[in-house]
Amino acid sequence: MGEFDLIERYFKRPARQADVGIGDDCAIWTPRAGHQLAISTDMLVEGRHFLSTVDPARLGHKSLAVNLSDLSACGATPKVFLLSLAMPRVDEAWLAGFSRGLFALADAHGCELIGGDTTQGPLNISITVMGEVPVAQAILRSGAKAGDELYVSGTLGDARLALEAFRGQISLPQAVWEAARLRMETPTPRVALGQALRGVSTAMADISDGLLGDLGHILQASQVGATIDWPASQGLLAAAASWSCPEALAMTCVLTGGDDYELVFTAPASARSAVQDAATTSGTAVTRIGQITAERQLTVQDAQGRAIPHSLRSFDHFS
Ligand code: ADP
Ligand code: MG
């Protein structure tokens, strides 16, 4: 099967919102009046972000999910995406599974594949996603203010827990392992929550590299600090009791575990009920975990307000 047959068979579908979709030298697409483009790209490399043994449908899902997560973090609505794919050979079973998982998530968000590039090489998946956001309403990392409250969506640490189990560092009850593995392999981008927080949240980021690290980016950009209330944050543990793992490991997973694709965001105390409304309309749990401080430090504190020492760092590909 040649390059063009492969594209035709697994990736080309009738254009819906694009003026010109797959098949021409450029795709042509027109955003709605009064909107700005929100654009992001994310690459997944075999051996670095996933193993060759992963289910291709799950990999298709995750490749797009990590990109949709970036749009969510800015409060944007996903619209179209490009797929650049390098693979060692044409494996039709792999392509069928990959495109199935990819399109299932794409269709769930009305996000259309409008082009890409296909080449031979080590397995490497790069997606560029584009969304719309009403002019000047994108939620950036730079808007947090001292006194704002700090929130996280969903649960944290599950993907890291799965990774620890995968590496044989811990052994988990079967059901816990299955659930954590699903979170690692098929993360849920918080698209509806991100949009619902437009006009409510002052700063937001998605958690791809760990809470402390990604919150750190917000603090840096906003020139503020934060205090994380550890007892409140423990509510983020998916099922802490069932994990049956030491507290220190649970803490590492929650505070520094990457790959969860939840949202960390800030909002003024006066917006508490608006945050709850956004959580309810989007059907996404939200936990208040601390506050933003003028003092530029990131502190994790216990129930008595004592700082818990941590030398926990988030994931960095080059450190
Ligand atoms: P060009 O040679 O101009 O770079 P290609 O021959 O690589 O274009 O691709 C032909 C068409 O197929 C283009 O419209 C391109 O966007 C699309 N395409 C190529 N690879 C993919 C892919 N993996 N997924 C979706 N569309 C693709
Ligand atoms: Mg090309």
Side-chain angles (χ1 to χ4, degrees), residues 3 116-118:
E3 175 186 336
D117 198 19
T118 306

Side-chain angles (χ1 to χ4, degrees), residues 194-205:
Q195 291 173 68
L197 286 169
R198 283 202 303 256
V200 176
S201 168
T202 46
M204 182 150 64

Side-chain angles (χ1 to χ4, degrees), residues 40-42 60-81 102 104-112 127-131 187-192 194-195 206 261 263:
S40 184
T41 191
D42 245 320
H61 171 107
K62 183 163 180 175
S63 303
L64 182 59
V66 301
N67 279 277
L68 294 178
S69 178
D70 283 322
L71 288 187
S72 314
C74 290
T77 307
K79 288 290 174 181
V80 295
F81 70 106
L102 179 82
L105 185 66
D107 291 346
H109 292 284
C111 193
E112 181 176 344
I127 287 182
T128 299
V129 76
M130 284 168 249
T188 305
R190 302 301 187 183
V191 177
Q195 291 173 68
D206 71 328
Y261 301 97
L263 296 175

Side-chain angles (χ1 to χ4, degrees), residues 12-22 27-28 112-114:
K12 186 164 178 172
R13 303 197 306 175
R16 284 175 288 179
Q17 28 167 343
D19 305 307
V20 177
I22 292 174
I28 310 286
E112 181 176 344
L113 178 60
I114 58 168

Side-chain angles (χ1 to χ4, degrees), residues 3-4 7 11 21-25 83-85 113-118:
E3 175 186 336
F4 299 103
I7 296 165
F11 298 114
I22 292 174
D24 223 302
D25 289 303
L83 167 67
S84 294
L85 192 59
L113 178 60
I114 58 168
D117 198 19
T118 306

Side-chain angles (χ1 to χ4, degrees), residues 246-288:
E247 158 109 5
L249 178 59
M251 193 162 180
T252 300
C253 289
V254 170
L255 293 176
T256 70
D259 253 10
D260 285 316
Y261 301 97
E262 295 294 351
L263 296 175
V264 53
F265 61 95
T266 59
S270 59
R272 256 192 213 183
S273 68
V275 169
Q276 273 320 312
D277 289 348
T280 308
T281 34
S282 63
T284 311
V286 157
T287 308
R288 184 155 48 85

